[in-house]
Amino acid sequence: MNRLSRKPPHVIAIYPGSFDPITNGHLDLIERGSRMFDRLIVSILRNDAKKPLFSVEERLEMIREAIEERGFGNVSADTFDGLLVDYARSKGAQAVLRGIRAITDYEYEFPMAMMNRKLDPNLETLFMMPNEQYTYVSSRLIKGVFKLGGDVSELVPPLVVRRMKAKGVAKG
Ligand code: PNS
């Protein structure tokens, strides 16, 4: 019997990503995931080829602060290296949570989900949609707008605005 044959008594899910930085869209998904799963582990990829604004440690701190602020008792934050399927197995996770905003996300997500299924047929990828007010929010846009002096305070937690200000990335 494989892990998908029946529902396990305790479902652990991994929410992997870059989180550079965490946004209210991510937090919306974390809240939804915390209601669906017994445990949710938000995990930052360490060996990211993209040039991040924040170090892995800074991103981890921000996620931990945001989780604590919102009182998500069954959510924790972590980092991982290498294959997601190996990491998920090491955590005893049965599911991967990913957010889908628009059809373009689907095109990016589908091959990753299928590759992960090929690598581990027992690991299920589940997609959730954030609240519609966050469907256009991405870490990339947040950084771009903030750098040019735009107001992103309704789209990220205040602690992220403080960190971005401290980085001195804003124009003017
Ligand atoms: O937030 P992102 O950058 O869209 O997240 C991408 C992430 C971290 C989920 C993806 O790059 C990943 O899982 N990388 C780990 C390497 C891996 O397992 N690759 C094989 C499956 S595509």
Side-chain angles (χ1 to χ4, degrees), residues 16-18 45 50 80 82-84 98 108 112 116:
S18 305
L45 176 65
K50 298 175 205 162
F80 77 104
L83 284 177
L84 177 61
R98 291 285 288 171
Y108 170 62
M112 286 204 292
N116 284 332

Side-chain angles (χ1 to χ4, degrees), residues 4-123:
L4 289 181
S5 306
R6 60 189 161 77
K7 185 192 167 296
H10 188 84
V11 181
I12 301 172
I14 309 289
Y15 179 22
S18 305
F19 305 104
D20 184 40
I22 189 159
T23 69
N24 287 349
H26 292 130
L27 284 162
D28 180 278
L29 220 72
I30 291 170
E31 183 171 2
R32 288 170 202 281
S34 76
R35 292 198 295 256
M36 290 300 296
F37 306 112
D38 295 293
R39 257 186 76 203
L40 181 65
I41 307 170
V42 183
S43 203
I44 306 167
L45 176 65
R46 274 195 173 271
N47 54 346
D48 202 337
K50 298 175 205 162
K51 274 206 159 189
L53 172 63
F54 291 101
S55 71
V56 171
E57 279 63 38
E58 287 172 321
R59 284 180 270 159
L60 191 58
E61 273 174 29
M62 285 189 277
I63 294 173
R64 288 197 170 135
E65 278 176 46
I67 289 171
E68 200 178 309
E69 234 174 51
R70 298 193 182 208
F72 301 138
N74 60 344
V75 182
S76 57
D78 193 18
T79 65
F80 77 104
D81 248 330
L83 284 177
L84 177 61
V85 292
D86 291 339
Y87 171 71
R89 206 175 289 129
S90 78
K91 293 287 167 187
Q94 302 88 352
V96 170
L97 172 65
R98 291 285 288 171
I100 286 267
R101 293 160 300 188
I103 199 74
T104 43
D105 280 345
Y106 178 82
E107 286 169 2
Y108 170 62
E109 295 294 334
F110 183 80
M112 286 204 292
M114 287 298 127
M115 180 57 82
N116 284 332
R117 179 175 282 171
K118 177 76 185 160
L119 295 171
D120 183 352
N122 293 319
L123 184 68

